[in-house]
């Protein structure tokens, strides 16, 4: 049982997670849903000598505070920054880049952030549980395993948000009491794809299959899938879901990597096309071809990716094109500087951990232009420092806010030698 103590502090700044930082009893604490300059009351929960803090009330509000758009804000942990006005919000997002670059003593031209407005997210991973006669489905409460029950989400594309109540009705019928589920919803270019994982269940009953089929038909889905570990059961399908990159239809599923929205695809593709030059390029961590396929319309391209499903999806559509795709783990086996030296430019888009081993090889190569896209400003700055120390110039950094209302930010940096 936790011991609760009330306290009051003034918020002095926001940390990289968008949480307010204050001082209480000589210790730094962080409180979500606050703004610097505010005076707040909070509860300190102590359990087994570990403490955490939850906001109780705002005693003195900041003039930068606005009314959140979503009725679940403060309960659902999906968005943490809806209470900031546009000026304060933009300032916070810019600080993510500025602080990361400053940590590595990097100076460059920082362009104004491009915002992808809310209502554009094309996928969601919901969790659900049936308790007695009520079905709870939504996202987790911040720093908790508790599911916040939703009936809409303004961050999602409207058609995905409208699907939420109907999904809850379906799950209420097919789940047993206390059974949990995961639901993966993706808006593909040709329609909506939904995948279900039902905890403790390896196969669907005939009744469950029929209910999912009926749901898919009524809600105009293109596919509905049940998955239990490696077992895949395509319950309903009128088309295989795909996204369009460079006029090519690339098959997608619930688990593949995609940028957060169709709009962010276009923004990042345009940035990369703007700064690419020469005749031959390489796309490192190419995924399903978000950048590789548009680039192939202008350059001879090679792509490298460790995920076998992504490589298979690309390989199935690139016949007769000047593209080569290779399955290779660039963390364990990066392309060497000698291998890289046949290319005029490189595009690299690694996971959040960055790509230090591959960057070291890029830094030693004869490549003249590198476009680095990252969802983590901190590891981007770390890797950028390596390139700069080896003779590259970081010409500019562009922030792309495709994760609106969250503390995440996409960045794209242009390097030249």
């Amino acid at each position: 049982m936790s011991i609760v103590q009330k306290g009051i502090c003034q918020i002095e700044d926001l940390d990289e997670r968008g949480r307010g930082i204050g001082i209480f009893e000589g210790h730094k604490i962080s409180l979500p849903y606050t703004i610097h300059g505010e005076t707040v009351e909070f509860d300190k929960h102590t359990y087994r000598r570990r403490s955490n803090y939850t906001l109780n009330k705002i005693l003195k509000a900041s003039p930068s505070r606005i009314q959140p758009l979503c009725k679940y804000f403060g309960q659902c942990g999906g968005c943490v920054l809806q209470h900031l006005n546009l000026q304060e919000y933009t300032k916070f997002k810019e600080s993510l880049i500025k602080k990361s670059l400053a940590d590595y003593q990097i100076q460059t031209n920082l362009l104004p952030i491009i915002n992808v407005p809310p209502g554009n997210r094309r996928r969601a991973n919901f969790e659900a549980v049936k308790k007695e006669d009520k079905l709870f489905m939504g996202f987790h409460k911040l720093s908790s395993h508790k599911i916040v029950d939703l009936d809409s989400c303004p961050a999602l594309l409207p058609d995905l948000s409208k699907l939420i109540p109907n999904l809850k009705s379906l799950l209420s019928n097919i789940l047993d009491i206390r059974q949990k589920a995961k639901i993966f919803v993706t808006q593909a270019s040709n329609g909506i794809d939904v995948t279900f994982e039902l905890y403790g269940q390896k196969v669907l009953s005939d009744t469950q299959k029929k209910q999912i089929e009926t749901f898919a038909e009524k809600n105009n889905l293109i596919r509905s899938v049940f998955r239990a570990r490696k077992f895949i059961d395509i319950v309903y399908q009128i088309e295989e879901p795909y996204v369009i990159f460079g006029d090519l239809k690339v098959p997608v599923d619930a688990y593949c990597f995609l940028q957060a929205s169709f709009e962010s695809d276009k923004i990042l593709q345009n940035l990369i096309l703007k700064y690419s030059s020469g005749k031959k390029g390489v796309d490192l961590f190419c995924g399903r071809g978000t950048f590789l396929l548009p680039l192939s319309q202008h350059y001879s391209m090679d792509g490298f990716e460790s995920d076998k499903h992504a490589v298979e999806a690309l390989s199935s559509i690139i016949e007769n094109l000047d593209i080569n795709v290779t399955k290779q783990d660039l963390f364990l086996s990066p392309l060497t500087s000698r291998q890289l030296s046949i290319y005029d430019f490189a595009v690299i888009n690694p996971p959040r951990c960055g790509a230090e081993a591959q960057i070291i090889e890029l830094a030693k190569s004869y490549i003249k232009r590198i476009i680095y896209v990252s969802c983590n400003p901190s590891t981007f700055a770390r890797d950028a420092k390596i390139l700069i120390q080896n003779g590259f110039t970081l010409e500019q950094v562009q922030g792309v806010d495709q994760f609106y209302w969250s503390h995440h930010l996409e960045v794209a940096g242009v390097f030249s030698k």
Side-chain angles (χ1 to χ4, degrees), residues 202-316:
K202 295 181 179 179
V203 295
L204 293 174
S205 69
D206 290 341
T207 301
Q208 288 173 319
K209 282 189 177 184
K210 183 61 179 176
Q211 289 175 315
I212 291 174
E213 287 176 2
T214 302
F215 169 82
E217 290 172 352
K218 285 185 176 180
N219 291 276
N220 299 314
L221 305 186
I222 56 171
R223 185 172 70 179
S224 193
V225 177
F226 169 75
R227 174 172 170 168
R229 297 194 176 184
K230 293 184 178 181
F231 174 71
I232 302 291
D233 184 2
I234 299 177
V235 180
Y236 176 89
Q237 178 170 297
I238 58 174
E239 282 187 77
E240 184 177 19
Y242 62 77
V243 291
I244 299 174
F245 299 138
D247 297 330
L248 293 175
K249 298 176 181 179
V250 185
V252 295
D253 57 40
Y255 306 96
C256 73
F257 172 78
L258 290 173
Q259 299 293 344
S261 67
F262 295 107
E263 188 65 25
S264 52
D265 280 345
K266 295 176 185 176
I267 292 168
L268 292 168
Q269 287 165 355
N270 288 338
L271 285 171
I272 287 169
L273 286 167
K274 179 179 179 180
Y275 294 111
S276 302
S277 62
K279 294 182 179 180
K280 187 172 181 63
V282 61
D283 187 348
L284 305 166
F285 303 94
C286 67
R288 298 204 173 205
T290 308
F291 309 136
L292 180 70
L293 296 179
L295 283 166
S296 71
Q297 296 177 328
H298 305 275
Y299 306 98
S300 172
M301 293 297 302
D302 292 342
F304 292 84
E305 170 61 45
S306 64
D307 181 73
K308 70 174 184 178
H309 300 295
V311 173
E312 289 169 358
L314 277 173
S315 298
S316 69

Side-chain angles (χ1 to χ4, degrees), residues 14-18 81 89-103 110 113 375-378 380-381 401 406-411:
L14 296 183
D15 65 16
E16 68 280 358
R17 297 178 298 169
L81 298 170
Y89 177 85
T90 302
K91 181 181 176 182
F92 168 75
K93 289 287 174 127
E94 288 175 344
S95 75
L96 296 176
I97 307 176
K98 290 178 179 178
K99 289 178 180 178
S100 295
L101 294 175
D103 287 342
L110 182 58
I113 289 175
C375 60
N376 187 342
S378 179
F380 168 83
D401 188 11
S406 81
H407 66 276
H408 297 295
L409 183 68
E410 198 84 7
V411 294

